[in-house]
Amino acid sequence: MSRTPEDVNKLTESTYKNVVEQFNPGLRNLVNLGKSYEKAVTAMTFAGKAYFDAVSKIGENAAVSPVSRELGVVLMEISEVHKKAQLELEETFKRFHRELITELERKTDMDIKYMNATFRRYQSEHKLKQDFLDKSQADLKKLRRKSQGKHSSKYEIKENECVETISSRQTDMQRFIAEGCKEALLEEKRRFCFLVEKHCAFTYQLAAFHDKAKEMLTVTLPSWQDKCTNASRVPDTVITMIEGLQTPILDGNGLSRSESVSSGMDMAKKTRVQTIFPHTAGNNETLLSFEDGDIITLLIQEERDGWLYGELEHTGQRGWFPSSYCRAYNEPVIYYYSALAFNPFSAITMSVFLIRGGNPFATVKLRPTVTNDRSAPII
């Protein structure tokens, strides 16, 4: 596609104006936004450090518990790994500031002066060459007017010289415009190349951070997860301690503690619960269907894999149902105290029915419980 020298000159000037009036102001705005970006990341990492310091503190408290010691250690490890990831992010953005934002700011200040001066120089040289060309063309017109008289041969040599001068200056002008346009376009491209190259470098740095952070965060994640898969699991040391304390001891009436507990638990067999969610048994005859608010009498006190067995009071139907679907129902506390008076460890199972309002952590994982036996038990 061919263009006239005037069109090419307009392209050159518009290219310079775009750099001076659009690109460089855009870089200034980019620098300001980049600094805001850095501040936001700094604030985020600061808040993240405070958060994971608090997680670590909770872990320290848990670490002194005989049953939650492992989980406390996990919380402290999680805190440390996340804080290391935050430090890596801070280092990444220090490079972002040093290698991108600072460079943009420095080059923008220099480039504004340089491009303004380059544009003015081009315009000045173009005007000077155009003035010389216009003067030569004006001289040629004068000579041609004079040569129309009686002494035309007198001006023929001067006219030829003037034509050669005009041709030379036109050639020089076209060459100047072509080279000026090429240089202007290259100046524009250099700036966009610089911007793309810097952001590619930052992208590599950010990708490296994500790879490193992913490795740090996931290398021990399975082992952490394994520690909390069973919220009801009790360490062997604690079980041994409890079993040791459950050794039968004779009381004042000559009854062993286990015999006393047995007599106290007879009253606890009347435990009643109230449903808090509806449950549908479907085609399974061993399960119990009920509505929200129904009353069930427990026929088996111990929970089995997350299920209880009881009798629906208003229908007399019996069956298994999820323990998380119910809560204690106004059972006289004295019934439980009679058992607890003899066996303090009965509270481990009975306390579920003494707490009102429900336990928000009772179902940490909403996974379906599985058991191989859903037949009606022998009561």
Side-chain angles (χ1 to χ4, degrees), residues 127-137 165 169:
K127 184 177 182 305
L128 183 62
K129 291 180 181 297
Q130 188 63 52
D131 288 344
F132 284 146
L133 181 58
D134 292 342
K135 184 177 182 304
S136 297
Q137 290 174 339
T165 300
R169 287 179 175 174

Side-chain angles (χ1 to χ4, degrees), residues 233-285:
R233 182 171 62 85
V234 178
D236 293 339
T237 54
V238 176
I239 293 176
T240 302
M241 177 187 70
I242 293 174
E243 290 176 347
L245 293 175
Q246 286 181 317
T247 303
I249 301 175
L250 294 177
D251 60 19
N253 296 324
L255 295 175
S256 70
R257 185 172 299 277
S258 60
E259 292 172 339
S260 301
V261 170
S262 176
S263 62
M265 288 298 288
D266 287 342
M267 298 183 71
K269 288 181 180 179
K270 298 294 184 181
T271 300
R272 300 158 74 206
V273 296
Q274 184 176 29
T275 62
I276 56 176
F277 301 107
H279 181 255
T280 303
N283 297 326
N284 193 330
E285 297 179 354

Side-chain angles (χ1 to χ4, degrees), residues 9 12-17 19-20 24 110-127 176 179-188 190-191:
N9 178 63
T12 303
E13 292 193 346
S14 66
T15 301
Y16 278 118
K17 286 180 180 179
V19 173
V20 172
N24 283 333
M110 294 172 58
D111 198 50
I112 289 174
K113 298 177 181 178
Y114 172 78
M115 289 303 288
N116 279 324
T118 302
F119 185 28
R120 286 196 299 267
R121 183 173 65 251
Y122 172 81
Q123 288 180 314
S124 176
E125 291 184 16
H126 180 271
K127 184 177 182 305
F176 170 78
E179 291 175 354
C181 183
K182 179 182 177 181
E183 184 58 30
L185 293 173
L186 288 176
E187 289 285 7
E188 179 190 75
R190 290 188 193 102
R191 281 144 186 80

Side-chain angles (χ1 to χ4, degrees), residues 8-52:
V8 176
N9 178 63
K10 288 179 181 179
L11 175 60
T12 303
E13 292 193 346
S14 66
T15 301
Y16 278 118
K17 286 180 180 179
N18 179 61
V19 173
V20 172
E21 299 174 5
Q22 300 294 328
F23 182 80
N24 283 333
L27 285 188
R28 280 195 181 280
N29 185 52
L30 207 59
V31 168
N32 294 331
L33 291 175
K35 291 179 178 179
S36 297
Y37 188 14
E38 293 174 39
K39 289 179 181 178
V41 171
T42 300
M44 182 192 71
T45 55
F46 181 80
K49 183 179 183 301
Y51 176 85
F52 286 108

Side-chain angles (χ1 to χ4, degrees), residues 103-115:
E103 279 292 291
L104 282 181
E105 191 169 29
R106 183 179 66 85
K107 286 187 178 294
T108 300
D109 290 338
M110 294 172 58
D111 198 50
I112 289 174
K113 298 177 181 178
Y114 172 78
M115 289 303 288

Side-chain angles (χ1 to χ4, degrees), residues 263-306:
S263 62
M265 288 298 288
D266 287 342
M267 298 183 71
K269 288 181 180 179
K270 298 294 184 181
T271 300
R272 300 158 74 206
V273 296
Q274 184 176 29
T275 62
I276 56 176
F277 301 107
H279 181 255
T280 303
N283 297 326
N284 193 330
E285 297 179 354
T286 66
L287 301 184
L288 186 62
S289 297
F290 48 77
E291 300 296 330
D292 181 10
D294 286 347
I295 306 301
I296 302 174
T297 300
L298 296 185
L299 302 179
I300 294 181
Q301 303 299 317
E302 293 80 9
E303 180 181 323
R304 296 183 182 179
D305 296 326

Side-chain angles (χ1 to χ4, degrees), residues 14-242:
S14 66
T15 301
Y16 278 118
K17 286 180 180 179
N18 179 61
V19 173
V20 172
E21 299 174 5
Q22 300 294 328
F23 182 80
N24 283 333
L27 285 188
R28 280 195 181 280
N29 185 52
L30 207 59
V31 168
N32 294 331
L33 291 175
K35 291 179 178 179
S36 297
Y37 188 14
E38 293 174 39
K39 289 179 181 178
V41 171
T42 300
M44 182 192 71
T45 55
F46 181 80
K49 183 179 183 301
Y51 176 85
F52 286 108
D53 280 342
V55 171
S56 180
K57 185 64 178 178
I58 294 175
E60 291 174 7
N61 293 335
V64 300
S65 166
V67 74
S68 301
R69 183 178 294 110
E70 283 187 343
L71 295 171
V73 173
V74 167
L75 286 173
M76 289 188 286
E77 289 177 355
I78 289 174
S79 172
E80 287 304 311
V81 170
H82 276 278
K83 286 192 287 187
K84 286 180 180 178
Q86 298 283 354
L87 288 175
E88 288 294 330
L89 185 61
E90 287 180 356
E91 289 300 318
T92 299
F93 271 82
K94 285 179 181 178
R95 294 186 64 181
F96 170 76
H97 176 84
R98 182 175 63 252
E99 299 176 11
L100 201 158
I101 299 302
T102 300
E103 279 292 291
L104 282 181
E105 191 169 29
R106 183 179 66 85
K107 286 187 178 294
T108 300
D109 290 338
M110 294 172 58
D111 198 50
I112 289 174
K113 298 177 181 178
Y114 172 78
M115 289 303 288
N116 279 324
T118 302
F119 185 28
R120 286 196 299 267
R121 183 173 65 251
Y122 172 81
Q123 288 180 314
S124 176
E125 291 184 16
H126 180 271
K127 184 177 182 305
L128 183 62
K129 291 180 181 297
Q130 188 63 52
D131 288 344
F132 284 146
L133 181 58
D134 292 342
K135 184 177 182 304
S136 297
Q137 290 174 339
D139 291 342
L140 180 60
K141 290 180 180 179
K142 290 180 182 179
L143 288 173
R144 284 179 175 173
R145 283 199 301 269
K146 291 180 180 180
S147 65
Q148 293 176 358
K150 295 180 180 180
H151 307 286
S152 58
S153 59
K154 176 181 177 181
Y155 300 99
E156 185 176 351
I157 296 176
K158 290 184 179 181
E159 185 177 336
N160 291 335
E161 291 176 351
C162 190
V163 168
E164 290 178 1
T165 300
I166 291 174
S167 177
S168 174
R169 287 179 175 174
Q170 284 178 333
T171 301
D172 182 55
M173 173 65 86
Q174 290 176 355
R175 184 172 55 252
F176 170 78
I177 291 175
E179 291 175 354
C181 183
K182 179 182 177 181
E183 184 58 30
L185 293 173
L186 288 176
E187 289 285 7
E188 179 190 75
K189 187 175 182 179
R190 290 188 193 102
R191 281 144 186 80
F192 284 109
C193 279
F194 168 81
L195 196 58
V196 169
E197 188 274 332
K198 286 296 180 182
H199 281 88
C200 284
F202 174 62
T203 303
Y204 277 117
Q205 294 162 15
L206 206 56
F209 158 73
H210 284 297
D211 289 341
K212 191 171 184 178
K214 180 181 178 182
E215 182 180 0
M216 286 192 297
L217 293 171
T218 59
V219 66
T220 52
L221 185 56
S223 63
W224 294 340
Q225 190 72 40
D226 183 62
K227 297 295 191 301
C228 65
T229 52
N230 188 354
S232 62
R233 182 171 62 85
V234 178
D236 293 339
T237 54
V238 176
I239 293 176
T240 302
M241 177 187 70
I242 293 174

